[in-house]
Amino acid sequence: MIIKKIFNNNAILAKDSEKNEVVVMGRGIGFKKNVGDKLDEELIEKTFILKHKDASEKFKLLLEDIPTEHVALCYDIIEYAKNILSVELNDYIYVTLTDHVSYALKLFEEGLNRPNALIWEIKKFYPKEFQIGLKALEFIESETNKKLPQDEAGNIALHLINAQVNKSNSKVEDIAKQTKMIQDILNIVKYTYNITLDEKSLNYERFVTHLRFFFQRLNKNENIETEDDFLLKQVKIKYKSAYDCMLKIEKYLEKDLSDEEKLYLTVHIQRVTQR
């Protein structure tokens, strides 16, 4: 590898044998080196290969403003998240999460805290990502001796949710909005039936999962379509209360749903409200 740019003693931009740009980090990897020198590959500890050009350019800019240890720390968090979630994450996670964590640490030093209004919902609807967020706080404390509040575990979880490839066109704000809307829909069901939903039940889990994919379809203006409305007519009669509840949800969404979406929502409402 040939050195193309030196960010600091511990981070450089290099070109590999196939002329691909890579950011590499390691203790002293750039010390007393110059652009054009051959890289001592034994010093490499972390390698960033960002295929998305825009993400790569933003990441390089980030390296000029953010402490290298913050970048290395977020690399470890992201690698841990990939292993736990077993999903591909969008390249932008290296930019967005690193920027967020570094800023959170800066605010912490200034005695400021950003509360996460959705912390309860994130815990409930995205438990795996939230647990990774909690683990990330342990990583951060271990490396920096700064104990960030639990709200930050929720913020980290939102970045991970956003970075999962099937949500790559969303923004963190969109995920936060979607999470609130899921809670609103659950409240409509609870108050319509005047019951407490069993959050540990399989039907509850299925309903929340359905809503998550349902909102993805809404965001993409996709609908499950069918020309046969026979089933919906049957369900409308058989599960009248669930159907009426579904209509309240449709009104809340301010969107005309397809017959198939109405059918699925009604069936899920029926299941989740049965003891």
Side-chain angles (χ1 to χ4, degrees), residues 46-75:
K46 293 177 171 61
T47 303
F48 300 79
I49 304 172
L50 305 186
K51 296 171 185 173
H52 194 291
K53 185 167 173 41
D54 189 42
S56 178
E57 292 303 314
K58 286 179 179 174
F59 184 67
K60 285 184 273 185
L61 288 172
L62 203 67
L63 276 165
E64 296 178 1
D65 293 328
I66 284 178
T68 310
E69 52 268 27
H70 293 180
V71 180
L73 174 59
C74 289
Y75 176 93

PDB file of all heavy atoms in Angstrom, residues 46-75:
ATOM      1  N   LYS A  46      -6.799  -1.291  12.048  1.00  0.00           N
ATOM      2  CA  LYS A  46      -8.179  -1.189  11.556  1.00  0.00           C
ATOM      3  C   LYS A  46      -8.155  -0.689  10.117  1.00  0.00           C
ATOM      4  O   LYS A  46      -7.384   0.209   9.783  1.00  0.00           O
ATOM      5  CB  LYS A  46      -9.005  -0.243  12.439  1.00  0.00           C
ATOM      6  CG  LYS A  46      -9.241  -0.770  13.846  1.00  0.00           C
ATOM      7  CD  LYS A  46      -9.995   0.235  14.692  1.00  0.00           C
ATOM      8  CE  LYS A  46     -10.424  -0.385  16.017  1.00  0.00           C
ATOM      9  NZ  LYS A  46      -9.307  -0.844  16.840  1.00  0.00           N
ATOM     10  N   THR A  47      -9.022  -1.281   9.286  1.00  0.00           N
ATOM     11  CA  THR A  47      -9.104  -0.900   7.873  1.00  0.00           C
ATOM     12  C   THR A  47     -10.535  -0.512   7.527  1.00  0.00           C
ATOM     13  O   THR A  47     -11.480  -1.239   7.827  1.00  0.00           O
ATOM     14  CB  THR A  47      -8.665  -2.073   6.967  1.00  0.00           C
ATOM     15  OG1 THR A  47      -7.336  -2.471   7.327  1.00  0.00           O
ATOM     16  CG2 THR A  47      -8.676  -1.653   5.505  1.00  0.00           C
ATOM     17  N   PHE A  48     -10.686   0.637   6.897  1.00  0.00           N
ATOM     18  CA  PHE A  48     -12.002   1.118   6.472  1.00  0.00           C
ATOM     19  C   PHE A  48     -12.042   1.124   4.946  1.00  0.00           C
ATOM     20  O   PHE A  48     -11.293   1.874   4.312  1.00  0.00           O
ATOM     21  CB  PHE A  48     -12.262   2.543   6.973  1.00  0.00           C
ATOM     22  CG  PHE A  48     -12.235   2.695   8.464  1.00  0.00           C
ATOM     23  CD1 PHE A  48     -11.030   2.774   9.151  1.00  0.00           C
ATOM     24  CD2 PHE A  48     -13.414   2.772   9.191  1.00  0.00           C
ATOM     25  CE1 PHE A  48     -10.997   2.928  10.526  1.00  0.00           C
ATOM     26  CE2 PHE A  48     -13.392   2.927  10.569  1.00  0.00           C
ATOM     27  CZ  PHE A  48     -12.185   3.000  11.244  1.00  0.00           C
ATOM     28  N   ILE A  49     -12.892   0.287   4.384  1.00  0.00           N
ATOM     29  CA  ILE A  49     -13.095   0.282   2.930  1.00  0.00           C
ATOM     30  C   ILE A  49     -14.544   0.688   2.679  1.00  0.00           C
ATOM     31  O   ILE A  49     -15.464  -0.110   2.848  1.00  0.00           O
ATOM     32  CB  ILE A  49     -12.810  -1.103   2.312  1.00  0.00           C
ATOM     33  CG1 ILE A  49     -11.392  -1.553   2.664  1.00  0.00           C
ATOM     34  CG2 ILE A  49     -12.998  -1.065   0.798  1.00  0.00           C
ATOM     35  CD1 ILE A  49     -11.082  -2.978   2.257  1.00  0.00           C
ATOM     36  N   LEU A  50     -14.748   1.948   2.338  1.00  0.00           N
ATOM     37  CA  LEU A  50     -16.099   2.459   2.115  1.00  0.00           C
ATOM     38  C   LEU A  50     -16.358   2.520   0.618  1.00  0.00           C
ATOM     39  O   LEU A  50     -15.747   3.311  -0.098  1.00  0.00           O
ATOM     40  CB  LEU A  50     -16.262   3.839   2.759  1.00  0.00           C
ATOM     41  CG  LEU A  50     -15.921   3.924   4.258  1.00  0.00           C
ATOM     42  CD1 LEU A  50     -16.259   5.301   4.804  1.00  0.00           C
ATOM     43  CD2 LEU A  50     -16.668   2.857   5.057  1.00  0.00           C
ATOM     44  N   LYS A  51     -17.271   1.654   0.175  1.00  0.00           N
ATOM     45  CA  LYS A  51     -17.538   1.531  -1.262  1.00  0.00           C
ATOM     46  C   LYS A  51     -18.342   2.712  -1.806  1.00  0.00           C
ATOM     47  O   LYS A  51     -18.248   3.062  -2.966  1.00  0.00           O
ATOM     48  CB  LYS A  51     -18.269   0.213  -1.541  1.00  0.00           C
ATOM     49  CG  LYS A  51     -17.420  -1.010  -1.209  1.00  0.00           C
ATOM     50  CD  LYS A  51     -18.234  -2.287  -1.285  1.00  0.00           C
ATOM     51  CE  LYS A  51     -17.403  -3.477  -0.841  1.00  0.00           C
ATOM     52  NZ  LYS A  51     -18.191  -4.712  -0.741  1.00  0.00           N
ATOM     53  N   HIS A  52     -19.177   3.294  -0.949  1.00  0.00           N
ATOM     54  CA  HIS A  52     -20.001   4.426  -1.380  1.00  0.00           C
ATOM     55  C   HIS A  52     -19.133   5.682  -1.386  1.00  0.00           C
ATOM     56  O   HIS A  52     -18.611   6.092  -0.358  1.00  0.00           O
ATOM     57  CB  HIS A  52     -21.194   4.582  -0.434  1.00  0.00           C
ATOM     58  CG  HIS A  52     -22.264   5.468  -0.954  1.00  0.00           C
ATOM     59  ND1 HIS A  52     -22.091   6.829  -1.095  1.00  0.00           N
ATOM     60  CD2 HIS A  52     -23.526   5.207  -1.385  1.00  0.00           C
ATOM     61  CE1 HIS A  52     -23.199   7.365  -1.575  1.00  0.00           C
ATOM     62  NE2 HIS A  52     -24.075   6.405  -1.771  1.00  0.00           N
ATOM     63  N   LYS A  53     -18.976   6.301  -2.553  1.00  0.00           N
ATOM     64  CA  LYS A  53     -18.037   7.422  -2.714  1.00  0.00           C
ATOM     65  C   LYS A  53     -18.359   8.587  -1.790  1.00  0.00           C
ATOM     66  O   LYS A  53     -17.475   9.161  -1.162  1.00  0.00           O
ATOM     67  CB  LYS A  53     -18.034   7.883  -4.176  1.00  0.00           C
ATOM     68  CG  LYS A  53     -16.992   8.973  -4.446  1.00  0.00           C
ATOM     69  CD  LYS A  53     -16.804   9.180  -5.928  1.00  0.00           C
ATOM     70  CE  LYS A  53     -15.915  10.357  -6.259  1.00  0.00           C
ATOM     71  NZ  LYS A  53     -14.747  10.540  -5.440  1.00  0.00           N
ATOM     72  N   ASP A  54     -19.641   8.940  -1.686  1.00  0.00           N
ATOM     73  CA  ASP A  54     -20.029  10.078  -0.846  1.00  0.00           C
ATOM     74  C   ASP A  54     -19.702   9.799   0.618  1.00  0.00           C
ATOM     75  O   ASP A  54     -19.181  10.666   1.325  1.00  0.00           O
ATOM     76  CB  ASP A  54     -21.528  10.356  -1.014  1.00  0.00           C
ATOM     77  CG  ASP A  54     -21.941  11.650  -0.334  1.00  0.00           C
ATOM     78  OD1 ASP A  54     -21.202  12.643  -0.438  1.00  0.00           O
ATOM     79  OD2 ASP A  54     -23.000  11.664   0.322  1.00  0.00           O
ATOM     80  N   ALA A  55     -19.996   8.567   1.076  1.00  0.00           N
ATOM     81  CA  ALA A  55     -19.687   8.189   2.463  1.00  0.00           C
ATOM     82  C   ALA A  55     -18.188   8.239   2.692  1.00  0.00           C
ATOM     83  O   ALA A  55     -17.716   8.699   3.741  1.00  0.00           O
ATOM     84  CB  ALA A  55     -20.229   6.792   2.757  1.00  0.00           C
ATOM     85  N   SER A  56     -17.420   7.776   1.702  1.00  0.00           N
ATOM     86  CA  SER A  56     -15.960   7.770   1.813  1.00  0.00           C
ATOM     87  C   SER A  56     -15.415   9.186   1.947  1.00  0.00           C
ATOM     88  O   SER A  56     -14.550   9.455   2.791  1.00  0.00           O
ATOM     89  CB  SER A  56     -15.360   7.081   0.588  1.00  0.00           C
ATOM     90  OG  SER A  56     -13.961   7.100   0.653  1.00  0.00           O
ATOM     91  N   GLU A  57     -15.923  10.109   1.123  1.00  0.00           N
ATOM     92  CA  GLU A  57     -15.454  11.495   1.170  1.00  0.00           C
ATOM     93  C   GLU A  57     -15.793  12.154   2.505  1.00  0.00           C
ATOM     94  O   GLU A  57     -14.973  12.871   3.092  1.00  0.00           O
ATOM     95  CB  GLU A  57     -16.067  12.306   0.019  1.00  0.00           C
ATOM     96  CG  GLU A  57     -15.585  11.898  -1.368  1.00  0.00           C
ATOM     97  CD  GLU A  57     -14.075  11.973  -1.509  1.00  0.00           C
ATOM     98  OE1 GLU A  57     -13.488  12.983  -1.076  1.00  0.00           O
ATOM     99  OE2 GLU A  57     -13.471  11.005  -2.027  1.00  0.00           O
ATOM    100  N   LYS A  58     -17.001  11.896   3.001  1.00  0.00           N
ATOM    101  CA  LYS A  58     -17.410  12.483   4.286  1.00  0.00           C
ATOM    102  C   LYS A  58     -16.606  11.893   5.443  1.00  0.00           C
ATOM    103  O   LYS A  58     -16.286  12.584   6.410  1.00  0.00           O
ATOM    104  CB  LYS A  58     -18.912  12.269   4.496  1.00  0.00           C
ATOM    105  CG  LYS A  58     -19.758  13.180   3.627  1.00  0.00           C
ATOM    106  CD  LYS A  58     -21.243  12.957   3.809  1.00  0.00           C
ATOM    107  CE  LYS A  58     -22.033  13.922   2.929  1.00  0.00           C
ATOM    108  NZ  LYS A  58     -23.479  13.655   2.947  1.00  0.00           N
ATOM    109  N   PHE A  59     -16.289  10.604   5.330  1.00  0.00           N
ATOM    110  CA  PHE A  59     -15.502   9.951   6.374  1.00  0.00           C
ATOM    111  C   PHE A  59     -14.093  10.561   6.432  1.00  0.00           C
ATOM    112  O   PHE A  59     -13.548  10.796   7.514  1.00  0.00           O
ATOM    113  CB  PHE A  59     -15.420   8.448   6.110  1.00  0.00           C
ATOM    114  CG  PHE A  59     -14.710   7.680   7.185  1.00  0.00           C
ATOM    115  CD1 PHE A  59     -15.259   7.563   8.454  1.00  0.00           C
ATOM    116  CD2 PHE A  59     -13.492   7.073   6.934  1.00  0.00           C
ATOM    117  CE1 PHE A  59     -14.603   6.853   9.455  1.00  0.00           C
ATOM    118  CE2 PHE A  59     -12.829   6.357   7.927  1.00  0.00           C
ATOM    119  CZ  PHE A  59     -13.392   6.249   9.187  1.00  0.00           C
ATOM    120  N   LYS A  60     -13.524  10.857   5.275  1.00  0.00           N
ATOM    121  CA  LYS A  60     -12.188  11.462   5.234  1.00  0.00           C
ATOM    122  C   LYS A  60     -12.210  12.865   5.861  1.00  0.00           C
ATOM    123  O   LYS A  60     -11.283  13.250   6.582  1.00  0.00           O
ATOM    124  CB  LYS A  60     -11.669  11.528   3.791  1.00  0.00           C
ATOM    125  CG  LYS A  60     -11.212  10.173   3.263  1.00  0.00           C
ATOM    126  CD  LYS A  60     -10.618  10.270   1.873  1.00  0.00           C
ATOM    127  CE  LYS A  60     -11.640  10.166   0.798  1.00  0.00           C
ATOM    128  NZ  LYS A  60     -11.116  10.133  -0.564  1.00  0.00           N
ATOM    129  N   LEU A  61     -13.276  13.607   5.601  1.00  0.00           N
ATOM    130  CA  LEU A  61     -13.414  14.932   6.221  1.00  0.00           C
ATOM    131  C   LEU A  61     -13.544  14.810   7.735  1.00  0.00           C
ATOM    132  O   LEU A  61     -12.998  15.609   8.498  1.00  0.00           O
ATOM    133  CB  LEU A  61     -14.645  15.661   5.647  1.00  0.00           C
ATOM    134  CG  LEU A  61     -14.533  16.175   4.216  1.00  0.00           C
ATOM    135  CD1 LEU A  61     -15.875  16.699   3.735  1.00  0.00           C
ATOM    136  CD2 LEU A  61     -13.461  17.266   4.112  1.00  0.00           C
ATOM    137  N   LEU A  62     -14.283  13.786   8.148  1.00  0.00           N
ATOM    138  CA  LEU A  62     -14.502  13.539   9.577  1.00  0.00           C
ATOM    139  C   LEU A  62     -13.177  13.293  10.298  1.00  0.00           C
ATOM    140  O   LEU A  62     -12.957  13.779  11.412  1.00  0.00           O
ATOM    141  CB  LEU A  62     -15.415  12.317   9.733  1.00  0.00           C
ATOM    142  CG  LEU A  62     -16.221  12.162  11.019  1.00  0.00           C
ATOM    143  CD1 LEU A  62     -17.270  13.250  11.135  1.00  0.00           C
ATOM    144  CD2 LEU A  62     -16.906  10.798  11.028  1.00  0.00           C
ATOM    145  N   LEU A  63     -12.291  12.546   9.650  1.00  0.00           N
ATOM    146  CA  LEU A  63     -11.002  12.199  10.250  1.00  0.00           C
ATOM    147  C   LEU A  63     -10.139  13.432  10.534  1.00  0.00           C
ATOM    148  O   LEU A  63      -9.248  13.383  11.384  1.00  0.00           O
ATOM    149  CB  LEU A  63     -10.243  11.239   9.338  1.00  0.00           C
ATOM    150  CG  LEU A  63     -10.608   9.762   9.484  1.00  0.00           C
ATOM    151  CD1 LEU A  63     -10.086   8.966   8.302  1.00  0.00           C
ATOM    152  CD2 LEU A  63     -10.056   9.197  10.778  1.00  0.00           C
ATOM    153  N   GLU A  64     -10.419  14.511   9.819  1.00  0.00           N
ATOM    154  CA  GLU A  64      -9.633  15.731  10.026  1.00  0.00           C
ATOM    155  C   GLU A  64     -10.127  16.520  11.227  1.00  0.00           C
ATOM    156  O   GLU A  64      -9.425  17.387  11.732  1.00  0.00           O
ATOM    157  CB  GLU A  64      -9.680  16.600   8.767  1.00  0.00           C
ATOM    158  CG  GLU A  64      -9.014  15.916   7.565  1.00  0.00           C
ATOM    159  CD  GLU A  64      -9.086  16.746   6.294  1.00  0.00           C
ATOM    160  OE1 GLU A  64      -9.638  17.864   6.358  1.00  0.00           O
ATOM    161  OE2 GLU A  64      -8.592  16.289   5.254  1.00  0.00           O
ATOM    162  N   ASP A  65     -11.343  16.229  11.702  1.00  0.00           N
ATOM    163  CA  ASP A  65     -11.944  17.008  12.785  1.00  0.00           C
ATOM    164  C   ASP A  65     -12.147  16.235  14.086  1.00  0.00           C
ATOM    165  O   ASP A  65     -12.332  16.839  15.140  1.00  0.00           O
ATOM    166  CB  ASP A  65     -13.324  17.550  12.347  1.00  0.00           C
ATOM    167  CG  ASP A  65     -13.206  18.576  11.231  1.00  0.00           C
ATOM    168  OD1 ASP A  65     -12.192  19.292  11.208  1.00  0.00           O
ATOM    169  OD2 ASP A  65     -14.104  18.636  10.382  1.00  0.00           O
ATOM    170  N   ILE A  66     -12.146  14.919  14.006  1.00  0.00           N
ATOM    171  CA  ILE A  66     -12.524  14.107  15.163  1.00  0.00           C
ATOM    172  C   ILE A  66     -11.323  13.315  15.671  1.00  0.00           C
ATOM    173  O   ILE A  66     -10.535  12.795  14.863  1.00  0.00           O
ATOM    174  CB  ILE A  66     -13.697  13.178  14.776  1.00  0.00           C
ATOM    175  CG1 ILE A  66     -14.987  14.001  14.727  1.00  0.00           C
ATOM    176  CG2 ILE A  66     -13.857  12.016  15.743  1.00  0.00           C
ATOM    177  CD1 ILE A  66     -16.205  13.237  14.329  1.00  0.00           C
ATOM    178  N   PRO A  67     -11.168  13.213  17.000  1.00  0.00           N
ATOM    179  CA  PRO A  67     -10.040  12.447  17.546  1.00  0.00           C
ATOM    180  C   PRO A  67     -10.015  11.011  17.017  1.00  0.00           C
ATOM    181  O   PRO A  67     -11.060  10.367  16.901  1.00  0.00           O
ATOM    182  CB  PRO A  67     -10.309  12.460  19.057  1.00  0.00           C
ATOM    183  CG  PRO A  67     -11.152  13.667  19.292  1.00  0.00           C
ATOM    184  CD  PRO A  67     -12.000  13.820  18.064  1.00  0.00           C
ATOM    185  N   THR A  68      -8.828  10.537  16.687  1.00  0.00           N
ATOM    186  CA  THR A  68      -8.673   9.193  16.127  1.00  0.00           C
ATOM    187  C   THR A  68      -9.248   8.127  17.047  1.00  0.00           C
ATOM    188  O   THR A  68      -9.828   7.145  16.581  1.00  0.00           O
ATOM    189  CB  THR A  68      -7.171   8.887  15.880  1.00  0.00           C
ATOM    190  OG1 THR A  68      -6.604   9.962  15.150  1.00  0.00           O
ATOM    191  CG2 THR A  68      -6.994   7.604  15.100  1.00  0.00           C
ATOM    192  N   GLU A  69      -9.105   8.340  18.361  1.00  0.00           N
ATOM    193  CA  GLU A  69      -9.609   7.333  19.304  1.00  0.00           C
ATOM    194  C   GLU A  69     -11.130   7.195  19.234  1.00  0.00           C
ATOM    195  O   GLU A  69     -11.672   6.115  19.470  1.00  0.00           O
ATOM    196  CB  GLU A  69      -9.159   7.629  20.741  1.00  0.00           C
ATOM    197  CG  GLU A  69      -9.432   9.021  21.251  1.00  0.00           C
ATOM    198  CD  GLU A  69      -8.269   9.993  21.009  1.00  0.00           C
ATOM    199  OE1 GLU A  69      -7.503   9.781  20.048  1.00  0.00           O
ATOM    200  OE2 GLU A  69      -8.140  10.944  21.794  1.00  0.00           O
ATOM    201  N   HIS A  70     -11.819   8.288  18.888  1.00  0.00           N
ATOM    202  CA  HIS A  70     -13.273   8.217  18.737  1.00  0.00           C
ATOM    203  C   HIS A  70     -13.632   7.385  17.497  1.00  0.00           C
ATOM    204  O   HIS A  70     -14.597   6.621  17.511  1.00  0.00           O
ATOM    205  CB  HIS A  70     -13.893   9.618  18.610  1.00  0.00           C
ATOM    206  CG  HIS A  70     -13.787  10.432  19.857  1.00  0.00           C
ATOM    207  ND1 HIS A  70     -14.271  11.715  19.947  1.00  0.00           N
ATOM    208  CD2 HIS A  70     -13.261  10.135  21.068  1.00  0.00           C
ATOM    209  CE1 HIS A  70     -14.038  12.182  21.163  1.00  0.00           C
ATOM    210  NE2 HIS A  70     -13.412  11.240  21.859  1.00  0.00           N
ATOM    211  N   VAL A  71     -12.854   7.572  16.439  1.00  0.00           N
ATOM    212  CA  VAL A  71     -13.083   6.820  15.194  1.00  0.00           C
ATOM    213  C   VAL A  71     -12.848   5.328  15.443  1.00  0.00           C
ATOM    214  O   VAL A  71     -13.643   4.478  15.040  1.00  0.00           O
ATOM    215  CB  VAL A  71     -12.166   7.331  14.060  1.00  0.00           C
ATOM    216  CG1 VAL A  71     -12.413   6.537  12.777  1.00  0.00           C
ATOM    217  CG2 VAL A  71     -12.395   8.816  13.807  1.00  0.00           C
ATOM    218  N   ALA A  72     -11.747   5.011  16.126  1.00  0.00           N
ATOM    219  CA  ALA A  72     -11.415   3.615  16.430  1.00  0.00           C
ATOM    220  C   ALA A  72     -12.467   2.984  17.330  1.00  0.00           C
ATOM    221  O   ALA A  72     -12.858   1.821  17.138  1.00  0.00           O
ATOM    222  CB  ALA A  72     -10.041   3.547  17.095  1.00  0.00           C
ATOM    223  N   LEU A  73     -12.950   3.759  18.287  1.00  0.00           N
ATOM    224  CA  LEU A  73     -13.980   3.282  19.214  1.00  0.00           C
ATOM    225  C   LEU A  73     -15.264   2.933  18.466  1.00  0.00           C
ATOM    226  O   LEU A  73     -15.867   1.866  18.686  1.00  0.00           O
ATOM    227  CB  LEU A  73     -14.247   4.370  20.260  1.00  0.00           C
ATOM    228  CG  LEU A  73     -15.387   4.176  21.257  1.00  0.00           C
ATOM    229  CD1 LEU A  73     -15.178   2.915  22.083  1.00  0.00           C
ATOM    230  CD2 LEU A  73     -15.489   5.392  22.168  1.00  0.00           C
ATOM    231  N   CYS A  74     -15.682   3.804  17.563  1.00  0.00           N
ATOM    232  CA  CYS A  74     -16.921   3.561  16.806  1.00  0.00           C
ATOM    233  C   CYS A  74     -16.751   2.404  15.830  1.00  0.00           C
ATOM    234  O   CYS A  74     -17.708   1.669  15.566  1.00  0.00           O
ATOM    235  CB  CYS A  74     -17.365   4.828  16.089  1.00  0.00           C
ATOM    236  SG  CYS A  74     -17.998   6.072  17.245  1.00  0.00           S
ATOM    237  N   TYR A  75     -15.553   2.227  15.318  1.00  0.00           N
ATOM    238  CA  TYR A  75     -15.269   1.064  14.465  1.00  0.00           C
ATOM    239  C   TYR A  75     -15.555  -0.223  15.247  1.00  0.00           C
ATOM    240  O   TYR A  75     -16.208  -1.144  14.732  1.00  0.00           O
ATOM    241  CB  TYR A  75     -13.803   1.099  14.030  1.00  0.00           C
ATOM    242  CG  TYR A  75     -13.354  -0.099  13.210  1.00  0.00           C
ATOM    243  CD1 TYR A  75     -13.393  -0.063  11.815  1.00  0.00           C
ATOM    244  CD2 TYR A  75     -12.869  -1.260  13.828  1.00  0.00           C
ATOM    245  CE1 TYR A  75     -12.974  -1.150  11.060  1.00  0.00           C
ATOM    246  CE2 TYR A  75     -12.450  -2.340  13.078  1.00  0.00           C
ATOM    247  CZ  TYR A  75     -12.498  -2.288  11.703  1.00  0.00           C
ATOM    248  OH  TYR A  75     -12.089  -3.360  10.961  1.00  0.00           O
TER     249      TYR A  75
END
